[in-house]
Amino acid sequence: LASSSPALSSLQTTTNFDKLRGVTCVAVRLFLVPSSTSFNLQGGAYDRTQLPADMAKAMFDSPVCVCGAGIGGIDELKETGFCIYDLQRMHDEFKVKNEIGEDQM
């Protein structure tokens, strides 16, 4: 990924990055445009999310989705897996309030 990114490949610290066999962890937090609320989901601290409906359905049983190496035929991910976390189902600061407000229940 570093060699294909103009921003990363221009850094001196990434000069020999492609020679490394692995990276312990790379974390990226993506915030998607909120979609309609899906609810009654399982496995998290909270049962609601505003992920797109197809993503919410795919993650119905758990707010964590583990993706294995080679996913999507992306060359840069041929030896790499990753996880997707639905933070709205896991953390207080991101939880989705119901229509009448959590405090009014």
Side-chain angles (χ1 to χ4, degrees):
L1 292 175
S3 62
S4 62
S5 166
L8 291 175
S9 64
S10 66
L11 300 173
Q12 184 179 6
T13 55
T14 62
T15 302
N16 292 316
F17 198 76
D18 291 339
K19 294 180 182 177
L20 298 174
R21 289 293 301 151
V23 175
T24 302
C25 180
V26 174
V28 176
R29 191 177 281 189
L30 298 174
F31 290 90
L32 303 176
V33 174
S35 188
S36 61
T37 301
S38 296
F39 53 92
N40 293 329
L41 303 171
Q42 300 176 2
Y46 305 100
D47 73 339
R48 302 166 193 269
T49 188
Q50 292 175 323
L51 285 174
D54 58 342
M55 293 178 76
K57 183 178 179 181
M59 296 176 72
F60 176 81
D61 292 329
S62 174
V64 179
C65 181
V66 179
C67 303
I71 193 165
I74 302 169
D75 232 15
E76 290 84 353
L77 297 178
K78 65 184 172 203
E79 297 178 356
T80 306
F82 58 93
C83 295
I84 300 169
Y85 299 93
D86 183 350
L87 299 181
Q88 291 180 319
R89 292 170 58 195
M90 298 172 69
H91 295 283
D92 291 340
E93 65 267 30
F94 298 113
K95 72 180 179 182
V96 176
K97 293 184 179 182
N98 67 25
E99 286 71 28
I100 61 172
E102 292 291 327
D103 296 335
Q104 298 174 22
M105 291 185 66

